Amino acid sequence: MEFAPYLFLATLEGAVTAAVLALTAVGLSLVFGVMRVVNVAHGEFFMLGAVLAWWVAHMLGGHPGLGFAAALLIAPLMVGLIAVAADMTVLKRIEYDPERTIVATIGILYIIQQVTLMTYGPDARPVEPPFNTRLAIPWFRFGEDGVELYWPWGLATTSYKLAVIGAAGVVLLCVWLLMARSRIGLLMRATQLDREMALAFAIPVERIYAIVFGLGAGLAALAAVLIVPISQAHYLMGGDPLLLSFIVVIIGGLGSLPGTVVAAILIGLSDGIISVFFSPTLAKILATLLVALVLVFRPQGLFGVRRA
Amino acid sequence: MSDTTRTMTLHVAVLAGLLALQFVLPAYHHGNLARVMVLASYAMGYNILFGYTGLLSLGHALFFAAGMYGMGLAVQHLGAGPLPALGAGLAAGVAVSAALGALALRTAGVAFMIVTLMFAQAGYLTVLYFGTWTRGDEGFVIAQAQRVLWGLDLSDPANRYFAALALFAACLLSVLWLVHSRFGRVLVAIRENEERTRMLGYDVFAHKLAAVILSGAMSALAGACYGLLFGYVGATFASVQYSIFPLLWVLLGGAGTVLGPLIGTLFMFYLIDLSSQVTTAYMLIAGVVLVALTLFAPQGLAGEVRARLWRWLP
């Protein structure tokens, strides 16, 4: 294949990564923004979403579309409930102290991961996509009589990958509507701006925290359900999304949702493109160093505004 | 008895007890205890920063691995003897911790935790990336012939035990000296109230940087000794898990106590050792202990003892 179609293919793969990453990172960013805590177990909620999706699809059997649709509803809901339970039994009791929360969520990370290992096992298992038509993409070249179209060998995507990108866009729009237009979103923003004042106005801050924590985890699980037909469900799959979400949230400015989405697209696309042309390990080294240096020299993120 | 005499008696008694155990323990536990003492030295290094200075790092595996690889690569590729190799490990640890400290200390709180985590992750990936020299995940073995120090074969269990005890005693006594020194008291002051310490005219940044370097150097020395005594260097020791372990040990034993790291390491080592006979998912125990500790005993075992019984415990 020539360079230009190859780059286009890498961009397309990057767009799928970016879509899933945006959902996961928005979940993490929401939790950080409203609750001011870092949830290190976020990647494990992602993993749990994928594993539950496999479980639901496996239990239902029948047409892959049916199992997938059920998983799309059930897995994020269950993960959200588990997160709410974790919030109420652990985080609430340590009063959302930022440093102790990190230690506690590291503990939760290991508990979820190892319980999955004990029940689900160490295998990677696939979920069948509901539809998976191969779509060849035409490319153009300058022939003898002007521009002509042709189908380069290997330049193709699947309808499912395009659907993932579309679905992620719809969900992000819903999150934005929820935050900007609904009453619960208003309460969340009020809690984010000033916890004390929100309490004084009789906003049930602890319930809001539980909802936000569940919503964040649910978004990660939803992202995982979308990606699991492309990759596979495995008990160690939470590490990379966690790292990438961290990177995205920090680059995008801690707690800023639009910044998070922009950064997710940027990081997802460049990750896709860089991993195609360079060693993935080198790409990860550069990305982690970039995050550390951004935090050191520009703590408000590349797109964030410095808080007073 | 004055507090100083009590303190000295207790710690000398612990060291004497460890020395005596060498002659009575069965082979299996004998080997375990040697391992625990080296890991406890690592935890004590961590405790200087976390327990006494109040800086929670999630990237100490970077220092441990810097020491281990500084030592291991010097032996493997430069053919260095054990002593220069340990020196190389220590130097690597000091260099890495100085660089990391200078950068990461510009941040505080949660940002400091994430920055250290990220640098450690980058370090781990770097070890994997240069797999030609480091042999990546697989690691490499340090041959027995290269582990002979002053005619003592460090792969022999008895010699290994004494070497581990020597390292542990050196670290224990330095920490003990540190907490009674002026420098150590400034670190505790920074932990308790950073702004006030600055107002009193102390250079907070310089003290914190020195604490990072000291902590990194001790961790690196423990890493180098671990590689030398047990003859294996691998990328696992640079992974996130080995950043979490010292945090776990110190939290369990009691942050800001001299004996806490030993107690925590011993406790956790045997907890995991016993549970791994039952299940392969032994990290589950670590997770449960972490959550339980943050919930019920943020002071750790030695911290509780200090709060309830021996108020003089350093």
Side-chain angles (χ1 to χ4, degrees), chain B residues 36-311:
Chain B
V36 165
M37 284 191 292
V38 179
L39 292 175
S41 309
Y42 175 29
M44 278 194 286
Y46 185 81
N47 196 22
I48 294 178
L49 197 61
F50 174 55
Y52 291 107
T53 323
L55 288 168
L56 203 166
S57 143
L58 288 177
H60 256 57
L62 186 63
F63 306 144
F64 191 70
M68 185 178 258
Y69 276 99
M71 183 281 301
L73 295 178
V75 169
Q76 196 76 354
H77 297 289
L78 304 175
L83 210 55
L86 283 181
L90 191 61
V94 169
V96 169
S97 53
L100 184 125
L103 283 171
L105 284 174
R106 294 169 60 109
T107 63
V110 169
F112 181 79
M113 298 163 78
I114 298 177
V115 168
T116 48
L117 181 70
M118 289 296 165
F119 274 120
Q121 186 67 18
Y124 170 63
L125 293 168
T126 310
V127 169
L128 293 187
Y129 188 70
F130 291 105
T132 341
W133 291 284
T134 61
R135 315 263 312 136
D137 266 331
E138 196 185 316
F140 55 87
V141 171
I142 295 177
Q144 196 198 341
Q146 286 162 318
R147 290 160 61 193
V148 181
L149 182 62
W150 297 316
L152 291 173
D153 183 1
L154 291 176
S155 61
D156 171 66
N159 290 342
R160 183 161 69 193
Y161 191 94
F162 282 125
L165 182 60
L167 169 74
F168 178 75
C171 292
L172 186 82
L173 295 175
S174 344
V175 172
L176 209 54
W177 169 80
L178 177 77
V179 296
H180 286 105
S181 69
R182 285 175 56 93
F183 176 72
R185 289 182 189 277
V186 177
L187 293 189
V188 173
I190 292 174
R191 177 188 74 192
E192 294 300 322
N193 194 335
E194 190 173 329
E195 285 309 311
R196 192 159 166 191
T197 316
R198 184 173 293 128
M199 196 203 75
L200 287 171
Y202 291 102
D203 185 345
V204 170
F205 184 84
H207 277 85
K208 283 207 243 177
L209 185 61
V212 171
I213 295 176
L214 210 57
S215 167
M218 197 177 277
S219 307
L221 190 62
C225 287
Y226 196 93
L228 195 62
L229 293 185
F230 301 99
Y232 172 72
V233 174
T236 333
F237 296 106
S239 67
V240 185
Q241 243 182 44
Y242 271 81
S243 295
I244 306 293
F245 277 142
L247 169 68
L248 187 67
W249 296 328
V250 169
L251 272 176
L252 184 62
T257 60
V258 175
L259 282 178
L262 175 69
I263 300 172
T265 314
L266 196 65
F267 195 89
M268 205 59 214
F269 191 90
Y270 272 97
L271 204 60
I272 286 183
D273 187 58
L274 293 177
S275 65
S276 60
Q277 293 164 3
V278 186
T279 167
T280 50
Y282 60 87
M283 282 305 287
L284 177 64
I285 312 283
V288 172
V289 171
L290 266 181
V291 173
L293 276 172
T294 42
L295 280 181
F296 304 113
Q299 302 212 37
L301 296 172
E304 294 291 328
V305 170
R306 172 159 64 187
R308 286 157 208 259
L309 292 171
W310 299 341
R311 300 203 52 86

Side-chain angles (χ1 to χ4, degrees), chain A residues 136-139 149-155:
Chain A
I137 301 167
W139 201 255
L149 284 178
Y150 75 114
W151 277 265
W153 186 84
L155 182 60

Side-chain angles (χ1 to χ4, degrees), chain A residues 26 53 71 91 98 119 129 131 214-215 223 233 246 248 258-259 277:
Chain A
V26 162
L91 300 192
T119 50
F131 45 85
L215 185 65
F246 258 128
V248 164
F277 294 105

